[in-house]
DNA sequence: CATACCAAGGTTTTT
DNA sequence: CCTTGGTATG
């Protein structure tokens, strides 16, 4: 280790020498399997790396080893990941291993960025200019909408979003319009799908643009059409590494194959790393089969299993293994750990989502009292709507939290508008950008004029901006539209001149100011206008890191990530998908109920395959925990404002009994008092009378479906205080909230001695008022 | 062109 | 329940 840091400090050494690190120094601290994964450099390798087994360490050390042993130069290594974050981390860690800044890893990046680089060099082969723009999902949908409109289809029945999804599906499979078998057209608009796809591709060509899927599909076309080009890259990439191989789609698989397999039949030095148990992106085209099939695809492949887990305690691993064991067709791995003991999985059944949020908040506060940092705890939900309950609870309790995910910076309306202005400055022919901002702010240039404009553009085969110029010359525009167009085109021209001598940041500021876009938001009554103005400032800020407008625009197309200001002392709140690759000492997994998790839609759409993917998600969730994993489920859940009855998830049943500590277990309709933990500060109430007989929606549903039920709505039950104005105080005061297993939530209206009157929230259009006697 | 009203639909997410 | 996108209306 000492030699490493010394080396890092001796900045004067030439680069070649810097990567001359001795084997011992980087193999230090690796276990046997990891060493094998590092040292087996030749031939195909499948590194099966379970959760928390030091995958990134093995992967980065492998690259460091290839470099240090002079097997290849940095630019002869292709290393692809899915996210920019993963790529950045990989580069950083290799840099640390070989000492100092590492230059020349030109082909280390995301699938899309590497493919974009290749495409820029050979764009002409597929009919693009090297300066092509990369359009994002939003533009893609708008373009699809235009295609549907032009085809004269019913726009309500066939949406742009729908077409974009179908096209994406085809591109994920690496299929161009001519690759598709005719019956595939049935997927959209009664057999017109393929024609629409073709039309969409033609429009992209006219715009000199490519969408994300195109980056790979065009690469594949290039390699297939020009064997010399393929051979060139095949020779160049002497070592290839792929991270998260279980998440690759067909297009990515084909792309890799073309790069890995030359015509010579020799064995490629391709190392793929992944975990079939963590494949959770099937819904966006990932194929677990790619990893399951690897040994057949690349004969002679060496399979190396990383199974020693350095992250979690034995009970956590046992629980995760027991759950994932219910899946069929796994490659099979058994995680093990050196450590003994550890806290059992905590399982808690609660009355409803609010109680769940409350108990988790209490748990968090208790952990905090024990000295645990808030940022060491995370709540991982299945779907984002589940976050609301936690956010509300954390706000009332004053627990700071940070949400991971959500709309990203470069996808926000104002950012996209601003970028459209800049794109238009760079390229007046960018019609998508033109139509986006021509009337934003309002210039009296409405839909009608825009349609007129696009007709003329279409007829003359010119851009919208050129058509505008033409209409001015032929005097076809009148009044407001004329002045507006004239002023707009003049500004555009001026900005373009300015762009040549001005840096991106001041240019952006100038364009936004002079176009009136900033004022547009300043004068807006929109509640989010202030934050939008903030974002515009941030955008200008971000631009200041770039020297050219081109560089900046390229960056934003491929790196759409949020500025993640991870703060210490904040609880993490995110979806299970967002949690992949992360770990926390304490993990809360709420909402383990049938129809929520596993998600009903997933099961409806993909049947058993969907269920298995949901189960992998459960596996990912559990294995995020280092020390403590707390799973909970509710008997009633509010989904989009509707109350529904819930059953514990089947995954709860799959947990091994001997590894689980059951804190409370509600029946179908409520939490039974005797199963409540003794330290509960919430008193039980006995129902005395109600103003009317009442049937909850959940009970009604159960009756209609003939499901087993363990409570009768006409029989008295118990209620508990769920939100107290003075925690610890067991008396019930006016305004406090009460939960009852039949009537749901209510508010205390009157309280006299141990008798109180509760008004329940309106459910099913009936207001229920009930009186209670305190049991205590 | 701004506002009003209605119907639909509301997992997961990267590039 | 609440947001969104579309159409209808002044």
């Amino acid at each position: 280790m000492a030699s490493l840091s010394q080396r890092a400090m001796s900045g004067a050494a030439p680069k070649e020498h810097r990567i001359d690190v001795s084997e011992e120094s980087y193999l230090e601290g690796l276990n046997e399997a990891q060493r094998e994964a590092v040292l087996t450099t030749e031939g195909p390798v499948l590194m099966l790396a379970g959760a928390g087994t030091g995958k990134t360490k093995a992967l980065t050390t492998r690259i460091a080893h290839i470099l240090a042993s002079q097997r290849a130069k940095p630019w002869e290594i292709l290393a692809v990941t899915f996210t920019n974050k993963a790529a950045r981390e990989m580069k950083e860690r290799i840099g640390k291993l070989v000492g100092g800044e590492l230059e020349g890893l030109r082909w280390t990046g995301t699938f899309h960025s590497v493919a974009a680089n290749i495409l820029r060099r050979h764009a002409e082969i597929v009919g693009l200019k090297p300066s092509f723009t990369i359009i994002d999902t939003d533009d893609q949908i708008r373009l699809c909408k235009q295609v549907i409109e032009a085809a004269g289809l019913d726009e309500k029945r066939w949406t742009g979003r729908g077409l974009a999804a179908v096209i994406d599906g085809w591109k994920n499979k690496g299929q161009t319009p001519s690759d598709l078998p005719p019956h595939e057209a049935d997927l959209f608009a009664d057999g017109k799908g393929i024609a629409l796809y073709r039309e969409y591709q033609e429009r992209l060509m006219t715009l000199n643009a490519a969408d994300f899927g195109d980056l790979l599909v065009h690469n594949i076309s290039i390699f297939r059409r020009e064997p010399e080009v393929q051979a060139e890259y095949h020779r160049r990439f002497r070592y290839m590494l792929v991270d998260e191989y279980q998440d690759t789609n067909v297009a990515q698989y084909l792309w890799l194959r073309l790069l890995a397999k030359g015509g010579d039949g020799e064995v490629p030095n391709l190392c793929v790393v992944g975990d079939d148990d963590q494949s959770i992106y099937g819904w966006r085209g990932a194929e677990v089969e790619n990893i399951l099939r690897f040994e057949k695809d690349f004969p002679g492949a060496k399979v190396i299993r990383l199974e020693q887990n350095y992250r979690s305690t034995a009970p956590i691993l046992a629980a995760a293994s027991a759950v994932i064991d219910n899946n069929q067709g796994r490659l099979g791995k058994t995680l093990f750990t050196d450590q003994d003991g550890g806290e059992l999985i905590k399982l808690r059944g609660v009355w409803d989502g609010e109680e769940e949020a409350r108990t988790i908040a209490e748990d968090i506060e208790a952990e905090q009292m024990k000295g645990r940092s808030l940022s060491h705890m995370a709540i991982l939900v299945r779907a984002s709507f589940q976050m609301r309950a936690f956010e509300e609870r954390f706000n009332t309790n004053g627990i700071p939290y940070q949400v991971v995910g959500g709309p990203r910076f470069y996808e926000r309306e104002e950012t996209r508008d601003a970028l459209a202005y800049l794109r238009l400055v760079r390229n007046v022919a960018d019609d998508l950008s033109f139509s986006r901002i021509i009337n934003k702010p309002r210039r009296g240039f409405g839909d009608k004029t825009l349609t007129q404009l696009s007709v003329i553009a279409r007829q003359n085969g010119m851009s919208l901006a050129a058509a505008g110029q033409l209409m001015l010359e032929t005097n076809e525009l009148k009044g407001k539209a004329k002045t507006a167009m004239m002023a707009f085109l003049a500004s555009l021209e001026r900005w373009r001149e300015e762009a040549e001598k001005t840096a991106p940041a001041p240019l952006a500021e100038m364009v936004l100011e002079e176009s009136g876009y900033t004022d547009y938001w300043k004068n807006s009554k929109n509640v989010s206008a202030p934050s939008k103005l903030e974002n515009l400032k941030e955008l200008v800020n971000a631009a200041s890191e770039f020297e050219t407008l081109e560089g900046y625009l390229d960056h934003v197309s491929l790196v759409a990530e949020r500025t993640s200001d991870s703060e210490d002392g904040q609880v993490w709140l995110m979806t299970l998908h967002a949690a992949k690759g992360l770990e926390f000492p304490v993990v809360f997994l709420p909402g383990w109920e049938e129809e929520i998790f596993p998600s009903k839609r997933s099961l409806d759409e993909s049947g058993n395959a969907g269920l298995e993917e949901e189960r992998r998600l459960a596996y990912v969730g559990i294995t995020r925990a280092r020390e403590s994993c707390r799973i909970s489920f509710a008997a009633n859940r509010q989904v989009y404002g509707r109350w529904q009855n819930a059953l514990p998830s089947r995954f709860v049943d799959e947990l091994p009994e001997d590894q689980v500590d059951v804190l409370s277990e509600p029946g179908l309709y409520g939490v039974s008092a005797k199963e409540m933990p003794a330290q509960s500060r919430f008193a039980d109430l006995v129902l005395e009378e109600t103003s009317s007989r009442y049937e909850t929606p959940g009970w009604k549903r159960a009756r209609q479906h003939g499901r087993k039920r363990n409570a009768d709505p006409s029989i008295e039950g118990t209620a508990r205080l769920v939100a107290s104005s003075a925690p610890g105080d067991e008396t019930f005061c006016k305004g406090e909230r009460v939960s009852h297993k039949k009537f749901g939530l209510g508010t205390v209206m009157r309280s006299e001695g141990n008798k109180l009157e509760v008004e329940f929230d309106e459910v099913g259009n009936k207001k229920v008022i009930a009186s209670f006697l305190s049991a205590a």
Side-chain angles (χ1 to χ4, degrees):
Chain A
M1 275 321 205
S3 70
L4 262 182
S5 46
Q6 262 173 5
R7 207 174 291 277
M9 279 185 285
S10 61
K15 274 181 195 118
E16 290 289 313
H17 286 266
R18 279 205 197 167
I19 54 174
D20 181 24
V21 187
S22 70
E23 243 177 55
E24 303 85 74
S25 70
Y26 55 77
L27 287 181
E28 211 172 277
L30 294 187
N31 65 33
E32 206 162 305
Q34 289 171 326
R35 267 171 208 243
E36 195 186 0
V38 169
L39 298 173
T40 315
T41 50
E42 315 307 304
V45 173
L46 167 59
M47 199 196 297
L48 273 181
T53 55
K55 173 196 78 170
T56 312
K57 193 175 182 183
L59 189 59
T60 49
T61 311
R62 183 185 167 92
I63 296 177
H65 172 63
I66 290 169
L67 292 171
S69 60
Q70 313 278 342
R71 281 178 165 78
K73 302 286 181 207
W75 55 89
E76 292 171 329
I77 295 174
L78 174 79
V80 281
T81 60
F82 276 86
T83 64
N84 288 296
K85 195 179 154 210
R88 212 180 314 120
E89 194 190 340
M90 200 192 289
K91 279 188 193 170
E92 270 167 26
R93 288 181 69 165
I94 297 168
K96 267 187 202 151
L97 279 168
V98 301
E101 287 276 302
L102 192 67
E103 301 272 322
L105 279 172
R106 302 230 330 274
W107 304 102
T108 297
T110 62
F111 274 98
H112 289 87
S113 69
V114 172
N117 282 338
I118 293 180
L119 185 56
R120 289 232 185 263
R121 302 166 138 219
H122 311 279
E124 294 84 1
I125 299 174
V126 287
L128 285 168
K129 282 175 243 156
S131 62
F132 67 86
T133 24
I134 299 164
I135 65 163
D136 63 23
T137 320
D138 208 79
D139 283 333
Q140 194 187 0
I141 292 167
R142 287 201 301 145
L143 200 55
C144 282
K145 213 172 154 187
Q146 286 174 26
V147 169
I148 290 164
E149 221 167 297
L153 290 165
D154 179 2
E155 286 172 63
K156 274 190 213 147
R157 175 106 173 70
W158 308 104
T159 62
R161 191 175 292 277
L163 180 60
V166 173
I167 291 178
D168 258 352
W170 283 325
K171 288 186 176 176
N172 282 339
K173 294 202 179 95
Q175 289 169 314
T176 62
S178 37
D179 293 334
L180 289 164
H183 69 261
E184 285 273 319
D186 298 341
L187 275 176
F188 197 82
D190 306 318
K192 297 200 185 73
I194 296 179
L196 294 173
Y197 182 13
R198 189 165 275 125
E199 172 63 19
Y200 170 79
Q201 288 307 111
E202 266 163 33
R203 286 188 183 223
L204 279 176
M205 284 298 154
T206 324
L207 291 164
N208 189 32
D211 62 25
F212 290 124
D214 277 340
L215 296 175
L216 282 148
V217 175
H218 283 329
N219 267 238
I220 295 170
S221 303
I222 289 169
F223 295 150
R224 283 187 177 154
R225 261 181 243 175
E226 304 284 338
E228 299 94 86
V229 177
Q230 188 232 336
E232 179 200 327
Y233 286 100
H234 170 67
R235 273 194 306 274
R236 179 194 303 256
F237 300 139
R238 300 176 57 190
Y239 291 89
M240 302 171 58
L241 296 100
V242 187
D243 195 14
E244 307 280 12
Y245 190 66
Q246 78 283 353
D247 287 333
T248 50
N249 61 32
V250 174
Q252 284 152 345
Y253 164 75
L254 292 171
W255 183 81
L256 283 168
R257 252 182 94 96
L258 283 161
L259 288 171
K261 292 199 172 177
D264 41 22
E266 115 286 24
V267 201
N269 300 325
L270 168 67
C271 172
V272 304
V273 188
D275 181 357
D276 51 319
D277 292 335
Q278 291 187 69
S279 167
I280 55 173
Y281 286 104
W283 48 272
R284 67 173 197 215
E287 304 242 333
V288 217
E289 288 73 25
N290 286 345
I291 195 166
L292 301 178
R293 226 188 27 230
F294 186 80
E295 287 175 87
K296 272 193 200 141
D297 280 337
F298 296 91
K302 177 132 194 158
V303 181
I304 298 167
R305 286 185 162 76
L306 303 192
E307 295 175 298
Q308 180 166 7
N309 179 292
Y310 297 97
R311 179 186 294 161
S312 312
T313 61
I316 291 168
L317 291 181
S321 301
V323 171
I324 199 68
D325 206 35
N326 291 283
N327 271 7
Q328 307 289 313
R330 302 168 54 220
L331 287 170
K333 268 183 287 61
T334 316
L335 295 182
F336 69 93
T337 174
D338 275 352
Q339 339 167 23
D340 279 338
E343 179 186 303
L344 296 184
I345 305 288
K346 286 185 178 162
L347 183 63
R348 178 184 267 138
V350 292
W351 166 253
D352 62 11
E354 274 183 45
E355 183 181 320
E356 185 176 51
R358 199 191 69 240
T359 51
I360 288 181
E362 278 167 16
D363 273 14
I364 287 171
E365 284 168 344
E367 285 292 330
Q368 200 183 8
M369 297 292 260
K370 282 194 269 170
R372 181 142 10 222
S373 160
L374 287 178
S375 61
H376 287 182
M377 296 181 261
I379 295 152
L380 312 181
V381 296
R382 174 64 185 87
S384 42
F385 73 81
Q386 295 171 268
M387 289 186 186
R388 209 211 61 225
F390 291 99
E391 296 201 46
E392 277 171 11
R393 191 70 231 175
F394 291 163
N395 284 331
T396 46
N397 282 28
I399 300 174
Y401 65 92
Q402 50 196 327
V403 176
V404 178
R408 278 154 301 148
F409 182 65
Y410 289 113
E411 279 170 10
R412 290 175 208 160
E413 178 189 7
E414 65 280 13
T415 323
R416 295 178 42 75
D417 287 340
L419 288 172
Y421 272 105
L422 295 178
R423 290 216 170 96
L424 205 52
V425 169
R426 180 179 63 166
N427 174 14
V428 269
D430 189 333
D431 288 351
L432 280 172
S433 297
F434 186 94
S435 59
R436 186 180 176 96
I437 45 97
I438 179 64
N439 205 27
K440 209 168 177 183
R442 294 220 155 72
R443 298 185 173 92
F445 210 94
D447 281 353
K448 251 178 100 180
T449 343
L450 191 60
T451 322
Q452 209 184 336
L453 198 63
S454 52
V455 168
I456 291 181
R458 192 41 75 93
Q459 279 168 357
N460 297 285
M462 51 171 59
S463 69
L464 290 175
Q469 186 64 44
L470 184 73
M471 283 177 86
L472 283 177
E473 280 159 16
T474 56
N475 242 331
E476 272 174 87
L477 285 172
K478 294 182 272 313
K480 231 177 167 182
K482 183 179 175 182
T483 12
M485 179 57 85
M486 232 186 313
F488 187 71
L489 289 178
S491 303
L492 216 51
E493 183 56 34
R494 199 174 60 250
W495 295 330
R496 197 175 32 183
E497 281 164 21
E498 205 64 41
E500 283 167 26
K501 50 189 178 189
T502 318
L507 178 76
E509 198 167 8
M510 188 183 98
V511 170
L512 294 178
E513 202 58 54
E514 288 183 11
S515 63
Y517 190 71
T518 320
D519 286 337
Y520 169 75
W521 285 116
K522 274 185 189 154
N523 300 329
S524 163
K525 284 171 288 186
N526 194 313
V527 278
S528 43
S531 88
K532 285 176 190 286
L533 282 164
E534 274 304 304
N535 286 335
L536 288 176
K537 272 187 208 155
E538 202 179 322
L539 183 93
V540 172
N541 239 357
S544 63
E545 285 172 34
F546 293 82
E547 279 171 25
T548 64
L549 187 57
E550 280 71 24
Y552 177 55
L553 291 177
D554 240 32
H555 166 82
V556 298
S557 327
L558 284 169
V559 187
E561 68 193 6
R562 296 186 323 147
T563 37
S564 56
D565 35 0
S566 138
E567 279 185 50
D568 213 46
Q570 295 196 329
V571 176
W572 295 95
L573 182 55
M574 67 188 91
T575 62
L576 285 161
H577 282 90
K580 189 160 163 208
L582 305 175
E583 58 171 50
F584 308 91
V586 180
V587 167
F588 293 92
L589 301 170
W592 280 41
E593 295 130 33
E594 282 295 301
E595 312 214 329
I596 301 268
F597 187 42
S599 134
K600 177 172 163 34
R601 192 158 157 187
S602 191
L603 263 49
D604 287 349
E605 280 173 11
S606 324
N608 194 49
L611 173 63
E612 297 215 335
E613 183 154 312
E614 296 285 309
R615 194 175 276 121
R616 291 193 288 268
L617 213 41
Y619 175 80
V620 167
I622 298 170
T623 53
R624 294 314 95 190
R626 296 186 68 97
E627 299 165 25
S628 176
C629 178
R630 310 184 190 187
I631 296 168
S632 54
F633 56 92
N636 293 281
R637 176 140 333 246
Q638 213 176 2
V639 180
Y640 302 125
R642 301 251 165 266
W643 282 100
Q644 61 183 49
N645 198 227
L647 290 169
S649 163
R650 68 191 76 189
F651 301 150
V652 169
D653 296 331
E654 291 168 6
L655 294 166
E657 249 172 73
D658 57 338
Q659 306 291 344
V660 174
D661 187 3
V662 181
L663 298 187
S664 63
E665 197 170 10
L668 192 54
Y669 295 109
V671 185
S672 74
K674 62 175 189 292
E675 281 163 336
M676 285 299 292
Q679 69 272 24
S680 170
R681 68 186 183 215
F682 301 97
D684 287 307
L685 295 171
V686 176
L687 176 66
E688 193 192 46
E689 59 178 284
T690 63
S691 59
S692 64
R693 276 173 66 104
Y694 183 75
E695 199 176 43
T696 62
W699 206 90
K700 196 174 166 189
R701 235 165 46 110
R703 184 169 54 77
Q704 281 170 349
H705 294 95
R707 262 204 272 176
K708 191 171 100 64
R709 44 191 193 257
N710 60 4
D712 185 306
S714 62
I715 294 174
E716 63 189 28
T718 59
R720 291 180 310 114
L721 183 67
V722 294
S724 168
S725 53
D729 182 356
E730 291 189 2
T731 54
F732 294 70
C733 304
K734 193 175 177 214
E736 288 178 333
R737 300 281 281 165
V738 158
S739 157
H740 182 266
K741 71 177 174 183
K742 285 202 293 286
F743 303 114
L745 292 166
T747 308
V748 175
M749 302 311 285
R750 271 197 307 162
S751 171
E752 284 169 39
N754 62 353
K755 196 172 176 191
L756 40 136
E757 196 179 304
V758 175
E759 189 176 324
F760 286 99
D761 298 355
E762 226 172 284
V763 199
N765 302 324
K766 253 189 197 172
K767 222 166 204 140
V768 177
I769 297 173
S771 303
F772 292 92
L773 277 174
S774 176

